[in-house]
Amino acid sequence: MAGERQGPAEWGGWIILVHSARTAVAAVASVLVARLFRLPEAYWAPITTIVITQSSLGAALKVSWQRFVGTGLGAVLGAIVASHFERHVLVFGASVFFLGLICPLALADRSAYRFGGITLAIVLLIPRAGPAWETAFHRFAEVSIGIGVALILTLIWPEREDTPLAEQVSDSPRKTNGDQGKVNEFPPSPATPPATADDRP
């Protein structure tokens, strides 16, 4: 994200205005879509959208995929466990442990495990009147809407990228006064003067 790589002095004015407007539009759109589908906890959609819209497109795709996989695994495991076991802290602990073991099988990384654990906790620990599979499905749907809205916004309204520091260094002008200011260059070693007739043995 541009703001994370800039100091307080650089991240201001027009940049912060555009960034704030972009984030607000994404969050509102996510809430409206979730409400359109009458999801009971629509607030999970904008939470997901806000997390993802803080990234560039490349980073957003990676975050989105891992969050999608992790949420799906957590929702499925939570629904299965809640349907066959009573609510107990040891059951929850064993489920979190098992989720960590199956995440690598789905080519999911630690961030997916984190998102899956959050979904698992919501499904298993929060008391619900309806069946567990319904809670798991709602959670998955809310996160999926948040991911979709974030990716669409990132495509149609990308955030300006900063020039990486390495490129700034390589593009910076070098000094030409003698040997001063040369980057990563050692001065030439003094050449040994040729032997004169007086120096020969």
Side-chain angles (χ1 to χ4, degrees), residues 23-200:
T23 304
V25 168
V28 170
S30 190
V31 170
L32 293 178
V33 173
R35 288 181 178 176
L36 181 65
F37 287 95
R38 300 184 181 278
L39 294 171
E41 296 176 333
Y43 53 83
W44 283 113
I47 289 173
T48 303
T49 299
I50 289 172
V51 169
I52 295 175
T53 53
Q54 306 306 304
S55 306
S56 62
L57 179 57
L61 289 172
K62 181 179 179 181
V63 170
S64 299
W65 173 247
Q66 293 299 329
R67 186 166 188 121
F68 182 80
V69 171
T71 302
L73 291 175
V76 170
L77 181 60
I80 294 172
V81 171
S83 300
H84 293 86
F85 297 94
E86 295 293 329
R87 294 182 185 273
H88 195 279
V89 66
L90 293 180
V91 173
F92 170 67
S95 300
V96 172
F97 176 75
F98 185 69
L99 177 65
L101 298 181
I102 64 174
C103 275
L105 300 178
L107 302 180
D109 62 14
R110 289 186 180 184
S111 62
Y113 180 39
R114 182 170 63 250
F115 298 140
I118 293 171
T119 301
L120 190 63
I122 292 171
V123 174
L124 294 181
L125 298 181
I126 298 179
R128 307 285 180 181
W133 65 265
E134 185 179 35
T135 301
F137 174 76
H138 286 160
R139 168 70 174 141
F140 181 75
E142 290 149 4
V143 170
S144 298
I145 288 173
I147 290 172
V149 170
L151 289 180
I152 291 172
L153 184 86
T154 304
L155 284 171
I156 65 177
W157 190 356
E159 189 165 27
R160 182 181 64 83
E161 293 290 330
D162 289 338
T163 304
L165 182 59
E167 292 181 14
Q168 293 177 3
V169 171
S170 62
D171 292 341
S172 60
R174 297 187 179 189
K175 296 179 182 179
T176 56
N177 292 336
D179 293 331
Q180 296 179 358
K182 290 188 177 180
V183 180
N184 295 329
E185 292 183 9
F186 294 103
S189 58
T192 303
T196 61
D198 296 336
D199 295 333
R200 293 174 186 170

